[in-house]
Amino acid sequence: LTPAYIEALLASGIKMDLHTLQPYRPLILETCVPLLGRMLSDSSPEVRASASESLTMLPPHIAPPDLGQHILTLILSLSHSDDNEELRMTGCGLLGKMAKGVGRDLCRQFVVPEVVSLAEDPVFRVRKSAALNLASICEVAGEEDTKGRLLPAYIRLTKDDMYRVRKACAESIVQVSNVLPAETRKDLVPLF
């Protein structure tokens, strides 16, 4: 089996569970994931987008311990790319898309602090990406982390100098507010 074959199987919608894929675990983790990692770092936005889409299909097919070690580590390395804002944006987008797939514990431990950090990035496009992805992370992280860690970052982003960042916050306010208790939601109204 080749990585392309495994990816085609996953993309085809064929119901495959962890037990069915167990014999292919080394191929997926040692070949497919590193290959996707290289494609996520490609200079072409189209290649990065396709690799991102493929990577988001993997969590249901990978055992939870492998998600953190192989998938989340890959995504965090992208978001730590100091010299490439495109990779930080790709990493941030993947953190948002993969939050549900990696589960609440890994989300709270790794995804939340990383997105809070990206929300303070010097490049406005990275901050915009953080604003757009905060809502999906709030849904997984839960009320406590949303109120204590993500909401302060969101509020800072609503006051950003760049209108595109503020606009991204406005686009996600409904999703963010859905995670908050009613008494905290009313604090969001004056932001806009």
Side-chain angles (χ1 to χ4, degrees), residues 125-174:
R125 293 177 354 147
V126 177
R127 295 192 309 273
K128 177 184 172 189
S129 181
L132 290 171
N133 288 286
L134 267 172
S136 57
I137 295 164
C138 289
E139 291 172 8
V140 178
E143 181 182 322
E144 182 183 331
D145 278 309
T146 297
K147 278 179 66 174
R149 298 160 79 186
L150 295 168
L151 188 58
Y154 178 81
I155 291 170
R156 279 192 307 277
L157 290 169
T158 64
K159 299 172 183 172
D160 198 276
D161 292 337
M162 294 297 295
Y163 80 92
R164 293 177 200 165
V165 176
R166 297 190 308 271
K167 181 178 180 275
C169 289
E171 291 170 3
S172 63
I173 193 169
V174 172

Side-chain angles (χ1 to χ4, degrees), residues 104-121:
R104 185 170 186 192
D105 290 340
L106 288 174
C107 181
R108 292 179 70 202
Q109 188 175 1
F110 296 104
V111 176
V112 169
E114 189 63 30
V115 170
V116 168
S117 174
L118 291 168
E120 297 176 359
D121 196 274

Side-chain angles (χ1 to χ4, degrees), residues 20-37:
T20 307
L21 287 175
Q22 186 58 35
Y24 308 111
R25 181 182 176 274
L27 177 66
I28 293 170
L29 297 177
E30 296 167 16
T31 304
C32 292
V33 172
L35 178 63
L36 287 172

